[in-house]
Amino acid sequence: MNFAPTRPARRPAENIVPMINVVFLLLIFFLMTAQITAPLPFDVTPPASDSEALAEGPQALHISADGQLFFDGAEDDAVWPGLAALPPDTPLMIRADAGFSAAELAAILTRLTGLGITRIALVTEGGA
């Protein structure tokens, strides 16, 4: 007679390596296809427009409602050297707040033209 307690038979361990491989492949896929952009420096509500043309360009000058400027990590008067260093014919988008004065925007456009920046697009919202 055998009085030793009998242990129930163990189920074989499930192999989770294929699941881990799939998770890593999905992670790599989403990292490679995601478009990672820097956050906007401050909230800007673009002016409304009926235009269907899209503003495009690799560089953007951000202008807040109170006139604060932001370009490529620089703020206020420090944006001008960075803008002057742009190559000729580089398109520049301006993301100005709807509350920003049109007269002040015209002065900024004049200064940009003086720096040689002639391809300028104003970012607007559709549906005026």
Side-chain angles (χ1 to χ4, degrees):
M1 270 185 145
N2 186 4
F3 291 109
T6 58
R7 292 188 180 169
R10 290 180 107 189
R11 290 188 335 186
E14 294 182 20
N15 192 0
I16 63 168
V17 173
M19 183 181 68
I20 293 172
N21 288 342
V22 169
V23 169
F24 279 124
L25 286 174
L26 286 173
L27 177 67
I28 291 170
F29 171 77
F30 287 120
L31 286 175
M32 296 300 289
T33 58
Q35 183 177 12
I36 300 172
T37 58
L40 297 176
F42 39 76
D43 288 334
V44 172
T45 305
S49 170
D50 288 334
S51 175
E52 294 183 16
L54 296 176
E56 296 179 8
Q59 302 289 338
L61 173 64
H62 301 271
I63 307 173
S64 69
D66 60 354
Q68 182 182 2
L69 302 175
F70 184 88
F71 176 75
D72 200 25
E75 294 183 18
D76 296 326
D77 286 336
V79 303
W80 299 110
L83 289 167
L86 288 177
D89 280 345
T90 299
L92 177 68
M93 293 188 309
I94 295 182
R95 294 185 52 87
D97 195 277
F100 186 63
S101 166
E104 292 179 40
L105 180 60
I108 290 174
L109 292 173
T110 303
R111 189 165 179 184
L112 288 172
T113 305
L115 293 175
I117 301 171
T118 56
R119 296 181 58 195
I120 300 171
L122 181 63
V123 176
T124 60
E125 283 185 344

